[in-house]
mmCIF file of all heavy atoms in Angstrom:
data_model
loop_
_atom_site.group_PDB
_atom_site.id
_atom_site.type_symbol
_atom_site.label_atom_id
_atom_site.label_comp_id
_atom_site.label_asym_id
_atom_site.label_seq_id
_atom_site.Cartn_x
_atom_site.Cartn_y
_atom_site.Cartn_z
ATOM 1 N N ILE A 220 12.765 -8.636 -10.776
ATOM 2 C CA ILE A 220 12.461 -7.470 -11.484
ATOM 3 C C ILE A 220 13.226 -7.732 -13.014
ATOM 4 O O ILE A 220 12.683 -7.365 -14.094
ATOM 5 C CB ILE A 220 12.963 -6.232 -10.888
ATOM 6 C CG1 ILE A 220 12.143 -5.835 -9.707
ATOM 7 C CG2 ILE A 220 13.154 -5.025 -11.889
ATOM 8 C CD1 ILE A 220 12.585 -4.625 -8.950
ATOM 9 N N SER A 221 14.403 -8.258 -12.871
ATOM 10 C CA SER A 221 15.136 -8.455 -14.133
ATOM 11 C C SER A 221 14.451 -9.423 -15.089
ATOM 12 O O SER A 221 14.595 -9.264 -16.343
ATOM 13 C CB SER A 221 16.590 -8.766 -13.930
ATOM 14 O OG SER A 221 16.650 -10.073 -13.487
ATOM 15 N N ILE A 222 13.720 -10.359 -14.591
ATOM 16 C CA ILE A 222 13.103 -11.395 -15.564
ATOM 17 C C ILE A 222 11.527 -11.015 -15.614
ATOM 18 O O ILE A 222 10.846 -11.814 -16.196
ATOM 19 C CB ILE A 222 13.317 -12.799 -14.958
ATOM 20 C CG1 ILE A 222 12.677 -13.101 -13.660
ATOM 21 C CG2 ILE A 222 14.717 -13.187 -14.961
ATOM 22 C CD1 ILE A 222 12.593 -14.463 -13.209
ATOM 23 N N SER A 223 11.120 -9.832 -15.022
ATOM 24 C CA SER A 223 9.807 -9.549 -15.045
ATOM 25 C C SER A 223 9.104 -9.511 -16.383
ATOM 26 O O SER A 223 7.935 -9.978 -16.501
ATOM 27 C CB SER A 223 9.464 -8.291 -14.140
ATOM 28 O OG SER A 223 10.098 -7.267 -14.801
ATOM 29 N N PRO A 224 9.729 -9.051 -17.429
ATOM 30 C CA PRO A 224 9.006 -9.098 -18.732
ATOM 31 C C PRO A 224 8.637 -10.467 -19.138
ATOM 32 O O PRO A 224 7.464 -10.640 -19.752
ATOM 33 C CB PRO A 224 9.997 -8.524 -19.716
ATOM 34 C CG PRO A 224 10.973 -7.713 -18.806
ATOM 35 C CD PRO A 224 11.043 -8.449 -17.608
ATOM 36 N N VAL A 225 9.442 -11.500 -18.847
ATOM 37 C CA VAL A 225 9.196 -12.874 -19.328
ATOM 38 C C VAL A 225 8.065 -13.325 -18.406
ATOM 39 O O VAL A 225 7.069 -13.956 -18.742
ATOM 40 C CB VAL A 225 10.379 -13.759 -19.078
ATOM 41 C CG1 VAL A 225 10.006 -15.237 -19.487
ATOM 42 C CG2 VAL A 225 11.499 -13.187 -19.968
ATOM 43 N N LEU A 226 8.160 -13.120 -16.968
ATOM 44 C CA LEU A 226 7.086 -13.558 -16.092
ATOM 45 C C LEU A 226 5.727 -12.842 -16.509
ATOM 46 O O LEU A 226 4.694 -13.559 -16.500
ATOM 47 C CB LEU A 226 7.467 -13.050 -14.657
ATOM 48 C CG LEU A 226 8.528 -13.853 -13.945
ATOM 49 C CD1 LEU A 226 8.831 -13.289 -12.590
ATOM 50 C CD2 LEU A 226 8.053 -15.270 -13.794
ATOM 51 N N TYR A 227 5.756 -11.594 -16.742
ATOM 52 C CA TYR A 227 4.485 -10.964 -17.076
ATOM 53 C C TYR A 227 3.852 -11.518 -18.235
ATOM 54 O O TYR A 227 2.609 -11.767 -18.327
ATOM 55 C CB TYR A 227 4.837 -9.468 -17.270
ATOM 56 C CG TYR A 227 3.458 -8.542 -17.440
ATOM 57 C CD1 TYR A 227 2.534 -8.390 -16.478
ATOM 58 C CD2 TYR A 227 3.267 -8.072 -18.724
ATOM 59 C CE1 TYR A 227 1.403 -7.731 -16.762
ATOM 60 C CE2 TYR A 227 2.064 -7.305 -18.982
ATOM 61 C CZ TYR A 227 1.135 -7.149 -17.947
ATOM 62 O OH TYR A 227 0.059 -6.427 -18.199
ATOM 63 N N ASP A 228 4.617 -11.686 -19.293
ATOM 64 C CA ASP A 228 4.043 -12.252 -20.548
ATOM 65 C C ASP A 228 3.456 -13.686 -20.244
ATOM 66 O O ASP A 228 2.291 -13.949 -20.694
ATOM 67 C CB ASP A 228 5.131 -12.441 -21.631
ATOM 68 C CG ASP A 228 5.427 -11.085 -22.242
ATOM 69 O OD1 ASP A 228 4.695 -10.138 -22.147
ATOM 70 O OD2 ASP A 228 6.454 -11.048 -23.047
ATOM 71 N N LEU A 229 4.220 -14.451 -19.575
ATOM 72 C CA LEU A 229 3.770 -15.925 -19.222
ATOM 73 C C LEU A 229 2.543 -15.871 -18.479
ATOM 74 O O LEU A 229 1.493 -16.461 -18.730
ATOM 75 C CB LEU A 229 4.876 -16.502 -18.328
ATOM 76 C CG LEU A 229 4.636 -17.815 -17.733
ATOM 77 C CD1 LEU A 229 4.725 -18.881 -18.944
ATOM 78 C CD2 LEU A 229 5.572 -18.270 -16.698
ATOM 79 N N LEU A 230 2.424 -15.000 -17.318
ATOM 80 C CA LEU A 230 1.273 -14.958 -16.501
ATOM 81 C C LEU A 230 0.144 -14.432 -17.305
ATOM 82 O O LEU A 230 -1.073 -14.869 -17.120
ATOM 83 C CB LEU A 230 1.563 -14.179 -15.217
ATOM 84 C CG LEU A 230 2.670 -14.857 -14.386
ATOM 85 C CD1 LEU A 230 3.004 -13.852 -13.273
ATOM 86 C CD2 LEU A 230 2.071 -16.042 -13.768
ATOM 87 N N SER A 231 0.353 -13.419 -18.099
ATOM 88 C CA SER A 231 -0.690 -12.847 -18.889
ATOM 89 C C SER A 231 -1.359 -13.808 -19.846
ATOM 90 O O SER A 231 -2.634 -13.907 -20.005
ATOM 91 C CB SER A 231 -0.362 -11.620 -19.737
ATOM 92 O OG SER A 231 0.350 -10.631 -18.912
ATOM 93 N N ASP A 232 -0.455 -14.617 -20.540
ATOM 94 C CA ASP A 232 -0.844 -15.681 -21.398
ATOM 95 C C ASP A 232 -1.753 -16.621 -20.745
ATOM 96 O O ASP A 232 -2.550 -17.312 -21.332
ATOM 97 C CB ASP A 232 0.245 -16.336 -22.081
ATOM 98 C CG ASP A 232 1.020 -15.439 -23.144
ATOM 99 O OD1 ASP A 232 0.444 -14.289 -23.491
ATOM 100 O OD2 ASP A 232 2.069 -15.754 -23.616
ATOM 101 N N LEU A 233 -1.451 -16.918 -19.399
ATOM 102 C CA LEU A 233 -2.254 -17.803 -18.650
ATOM 103 C C LEU A 233 -3.538 -17.157 -18.177
ATOM 104 O O LEU A 233 -4.266 -17.877 -17.526
ATOM 105 C CB LEU A 233 -1.422 -18.258 -17.372
ATOM 106 C CG LEU A 233 -0.330 -19.206 -17.748
ATOM 107 C CD1 LEU A 233 0.629 -19.423 -16.465
ATOM 108 C CD2 LEU A 233 -0.739 -20.518 -18.228
ATOM 109 N N GLY A 234 -3.749 -16.052 -18.570
ATOM 110 C CA GLY A 234 -5.045 -15.302 -18.306
ATOM 111 C C GLY A 234 -5.182 -14.698 -16.803
ATOM 112 O O GLY A 234 -6.144 -14.579 -16.289
ATOM 113 N N ILE A 235 -3.850 -14.536 -16.289
ATOM 114 C CA ILE A 235 -3.933 -14.023 -14.863
ATOM 115 C C ILE A 235 -3.783 -12.521 -14.938
ATOM 116 O O ILE A 235 -2.872 -11.989 -15.337
ATOM 117 C CB ILE A 235 -2.741 -14.626 -14.101
ATOM 118 C CG1 ILE A 235 -3.065 -16.154 -13.935
ATOM 119 C CG2 ILE A 235 -2.497 -13.907 -12.759
ATOM 120 C CD1 ILE A 235 -1.893 -16.972 -13.543
ATOM 121 N N ASN A 236 -4.872 -11.878 -14.229
ATOM 122 C CA ASN A 236 -4.847 -10.411 -14.239
ATOM 123 C C ASN A 236 -4.920 -9.943 -12.935
ATOM 124 O O ASN A 236 -4.307 -8.929 -12.369
ATOM 125 C CB ASN A 236 -6.119 -9.919 -14.925
ATOM 126 C CG ASN A 236 -6.264 -10.391 -16.343
ATOM 127 O OD1 ASN A 236 -5.418 -10.179 -17.197
ATOM 128 N ND2 ASN A 236 -7.275 -11.374 -16.445
ATOM 129 N N GLU A 237 -5.619 -10.700 -12.020
ATOM 130 C CA GLU A 237 -5.770 -10.344 -10.543
ATOM 131 C C GLU A 237 -4.878 -11.266 -9.774
ATOM 132 O O GLU A 237 -4.694 -12.455 -10.019
ATOM 133 C CB GLU A 237 -7.209 -10.700 -10.207
ATOM 134 C CG GLU A 237 -7.489 -10.392 -8.638
ATOM 135 C CD GLU A 237 -8.784 -10.911 -8.184
ATOM 136 O OE1 GLU A 237 -9.716 -11.401 -8.968
ATOM 137 O OE2 GLU A 237 -9.113 -10.623 -6.998
ATOM 138 N N VAL A 238 -4.209 -10.665 -8.670
ATOM 139 C CA VAL A 238 -3.287 -11.381 -7.944
ATOM 140 C C VAL A 238 -3.739 -11.373 -6.402
ATOM 141 O O VAL A 238 -4.307 -10.286 -5.962
ATOM 142 C CB VAL A 238 -1.852 -10.665 -7.903
ATOM 143 C CG1 VAL A 238 -0.862 -11.406 -7.006
ATOM 144 C CG2 VAL A 238 -1.431 -10.603 -9.326
ATOM 145 N N ALA A 239 -3.759 -12.518 -5.790
ATOM 146 C CA ALA A 239 -3.959 -12.527 -4.353
ATOM 147 C C ALA A 239 -5.476 -12.273 -3.924
ATOM 148 O O ALA A 239 -5.655 -11.682 -2.934
ATOM 149 C CB ALA A 239 -2.879 -11.690 -3.549
ATOM 150 N N ASN A 240 -6.371 -12.763 -4.725
ATOM 151 C CA ASN A 240 -7.824 -12.593 -4.290
ATOM 152 C C ASN A 240 -7.921 -13.272 -2.843
ATOM 153 O O ASN A 240 -7.255 -14.264 -2.614
ATOM 154 C CB ASN A 240 -8.711 -13.324 -5.330
ATOM 155 C CG ASN A 240 -10.096 -13.287 -4.900
ATOM 156 O OD1 ASN A 240 -10.540 -14.113 -4.116
ATOM 157 N ND2 ASN A 240 -10.904 -12.539 -5.398
ATOM 158 N N ASP A 241 -8.765 -12.716 -2.058
ATOM 159 C CA ASP A 241 -8.981 -13.309 -0.653
ATOM 160 C C ASP A 241 -9.279 -14.706 -0.613
ATOM 161 O O ASP A 241 -8.972 -15.368 0.290
ATOM 162 C CB ASP A 241 -10.019 -12.359 0.084
ATOM 163 C CG ASP A 241 -9.493 -10.970 0.382
ATOM 164 O OD1 ASP A 241 -8.245 -10.803 0.359
ATOM 165 O OD2 ASP A 241 -10.307 -10.121 0.519
ATOM 166 N N ASN A 242 -10.003 -15.234 -1.649
ATOM 167 C CA ASN A 242 -10.453 -16.548 -1.616
ATOM 168 C C ASN A 242 -9.592 -17.523 -2.523
ATOM 169 O O ASN A 242 -10.017 -18.605 -2.890
ATOM 170 C CB ASN A 242 -11.996 -16.737 -1.861
ATOM 171 C CG ASN A 242 -12.740 -16.029 -0.926
ATOM 172 O OD1 ASN A 242 -12.560 -16.317 0.338
ATOM 173 N ND2 ASN A 242 -13.572 -15.111 -1.300
ATOM 174 N N SER A 243 -8.466 -17.006 -3.065
ATOM 175 C CA SER A 243 -7.778 -17.704 -4.112
ATOM 176 C C SER A 243 -6.981 -18.832 -3.288
ATOM 177 O O SER A 243 -6.847 -18.798 -2.190
ATOM 178 C CB SER A 243 -6.582 -16.723 -4.692
ATOM 179 O OG SER A 243 -5.754 -16.250 -3.615
ATOM 180 N N LEU A 244 -6.515 -19.755 -4.033
ATOM 181 C CA LEU A 244 -5.730 -20.857 -3.488
ATOM 182 C C LEU A 244 -4.489 -20.323 -2.799
ATOM 183 O O LEU A 244 -4.065 -20.807 -1.775
ATOM 184 C CB LEU A 244 -5.317 -21.807 -4.645
ATOM 185 C CG LEU A 244 -6.418 -22.800 -5.075
ATOM 186 C CD1 LEU A 244 -5.857 -23.659 -6.244
ATOM 187 C CD2 LEU A 244 -6.969 -23.552 -3.938
ATOM 188 N N LEU A 245 -3.831 -19.332 -3.403
ATOM 189 C CA LEU A 245 -2.657 -18.738 -2.852
ATOM 190 C C LEU A 245 -2.952 -18.372 -1.378
ATOM 191 O O LEU A 245 -2.315 -18.631 -0.506
ATOM 192 C CB LEU A 245 -2.185 -17.481 -3.660
ATOM 193 C CG LEU A 245 -1.352 -16.486 -2.892
ATOM 194 C CD1 LEU A 245 0.070 -17.065 -2.579
ATOM 195 C CD2 LEU A 245 -1.233 -15.175 -3.620
ATOM 196 N N ASN A 246 -4.053 -17.609 -1.267
ATOM 197 C CA ASN A 246 -4.374 -17.088 0.178
ATOM 198 C C ASN A 246 -4.783 -18.192 1.093
ATOM 199 O O ASN A 246 -4.455 -18.104 2.293
ATOM 200 C CB ASN A 246 -5.427 -15.967 0.063
ATOM 201 C CG ASN A 246 -4.870 -14.674 -0.438
ATOM 202 O OD1 ASN A 246 -3.839 -14.592 -1.186
ATOM 203 N ND2 ASN A 246 -5.387 -13.596 0.043
ATOM 204 N N THR A 247 -5.390 -19.174 0.495
ATOM 205 C CA THR A 247 -5.825 -20.263 1.316
ATOM 206 C C THR A 247 -4.545 -21.079 1.858
ATOM 207 O O THR A 247 -4.492 -21.332 2.924
ATOM 208 C CB THR A 247 -6.806 -21.227 0.578
ATOM 209 O OG1 THR A 247 -7.882 -20.464 0.121
ATOM 210 C CG2 THR A 247 -7.300 -22.347 1.416
ATOM 211 N N PHE A 248 -3.727 -21.372 0.903
ATOM 212 C CA PHE A 248 -2.427 -22.052 1.372
ATOM 213 C C PHE A 248 -1.650 -21.256 2.351
ATOM 214 O O PHE A 248 -1.042 -21.719 3.264
ATOM 215 C CB PHE A 248 -1.480 -22.290 0.104
ATOM 216 C CG PHE A 248 -1.899 -23.403 -0.752
ATOM 217 C CD1 PHE A 248 -1.920 -23.396 -2.105
ATOM 218 C CD2 PHE A 248 -2.464 -24.633 -0.219
ATOM 219 C CE1 PHE A 248 -2.344 -24.501 -2.884
ATOM 220 C CE2 PHE A 248 -2.849 -25.706 -0.952
ATOM 221 C CZ PHE A 248 -2.746 -25.616 -2.368
ATOM 222 N N GLU A 249 -1.636 -19.904 2.181
ATOM 223 C CA GLU A 249 -0.956 -19.056 2.966
ATOM 224 C C GLU A 249 -1.483 -19.236 4.331
ATOM 225 O O GLU A 249 -0.704 -19.369 5.424
ATOM 226 C CB GLU A 249 -1.039 -17.538 2.426
ATOM 227 C CG GLU A 249 -0.313 -16.505 3.241
ATOM 228 C CD GLU A 249 -0.986 -15.174 3.285
ATOM 229 O OE1 GLU A 249 -2.166 -15.062 2.925
ATOM 230 O OE2 GLU A 249 -0.327 -14.220 3.841
ATOM 231 N N LYS A 250 -2.803 -19.202 4.543
ATOM 232 C CA LYS A 250 -3.468 -19.318 5.826
ATOM 233 C C LYS A 250 -3.186 -20.650 6.396
ATOM 234 O O LYS A 250 -2.945 -20.674 7.682
ATOM 235 C CB LYS A 250 -4.927 -18.962 5.682
ATOM 236 C CG LYS A 250 -5.218 -17.534 5.559
ATOM 237 C CD LYS A 250 -6.607 -17.272 5.087
ATOM 238 C CE LYS A 250 -6.810 -15.855 4.658
ATOM 239 N NZ LYS A 250 -7.855 -15.712 3.771
ATOM 240 N N ILE A 251 -2.940 -21.591 5.639
ATOM 241 C CA ILE A 251 -2.759 -22.993 6.224
ATOM 242 C C ILE A 251 -1.281 -23.131 6.570
ATOM 243 O O ILE A 251 -0.935 -23.482 7.687
ATOM 244 C CB ILE A 251 -3.202 -24.165 5.221
ATOM 245 C CG1 ILE A 251 -4.652 -24.066 4.956
ATOM 246 C CG2 ILE A 251 -2.751 -25.605 5.784
ATOM 247 C CD1 ILE A 251 -5.071 -24.985 3.869
ATOM 248 N N ILE A 252 -0.460 -22.925 5.631
ATOM 249 C CA ILE A 252 1.007 -23.024 5.944
ATOM 250 C C ILE A 252 1.574 -22.107 6.871
ATOM 251 O O ILE A 252 2.289 -22.534 7.757
ATOM 252 C CB ILE A 252 1.680 -23.128 4.560
ATOM 253 C CG1 ILE A 252 1.250 -24.249 3.658
ATOM 254 C CG2 ILE A 252 3.288 -23.160 4.716
ATOM 255 C CD1 ILE A 252 1.707 -24.205 2.303
ATOM 256 N N CYS A 253 1.301 -20.948 6.716
ATOM 257 C CA CYS A 253 1.938 -19.911 7.564
ATOM 258 C C CYS A 253 1.557 -19.955 8.993
ATOM 259 O O CYS A 253 2.232 -19.337 9.913
ATOM 260 C CB CYS A 253 1.706 -18.511 7.054
ATOM 261 S SG CYS A 253 2.186 -18.301 5.327
ATOM 262 N N THR A 254 0.359 -20.570 9.232
ATOM 263 C CA THR A 254 -0.001 -20.617 10.706
ATOM 264 C C THR A 254 0.365 -21.957 11.355
ATOM 265 O O THR A 254 -0.058 -22.097 12.520
ATOM 266 C CB THR A 254 -1.582 -20.535 10.763
ATOM 267 O OG1 THR A 254 -2.203 -21.468 9.951
ATOM 268 C CG2 THR A 254 -1.921 -19.041 10.339
ATOM 269 N N LEU A 255 0.993 -22.885 10.579
ATOM 270 C CA LEU A 255 1.582 -24.116 11.282
ATOM 271 C C LEU A 255 2.535 -23.758 12.333
ATOM 272 O O LEU A 255 3.343 -22.783 12.180
ATOM 273 C CB LEU A 255 2.261 -24.915 10.232
ATOM 274 C CG LEU A 255 1.382 -25.507 9.047
ATOM 275 C CD1 LEU A 255 2.349 -26.316 8.100
ATOM 276 C CD2 LEU A 255 0.447 -26.571 9.739
#
Side-chain angles (χ1 to χ4, degrees):
I220 287 176
S221 70
I222 60 164
S223 61
V225 179
L226 282 178
Y227 182 69
D228 284 349
L229 176 73
L230 296 168
S231 308
D232 287 349
L233 290 168
I235 288 158
N236 311 290
E237 178 186 3
V238 180
N240 177 284
D241 289 336
N242 295 309
S243 64
L244 284 181
L245 161 67
N246 283 30
T247 305
F248 282 141
E249 181 209 17
K250 284 169 194 154
I251 295 171
I252 293 166
C253 303
T254 56
L255 292 174

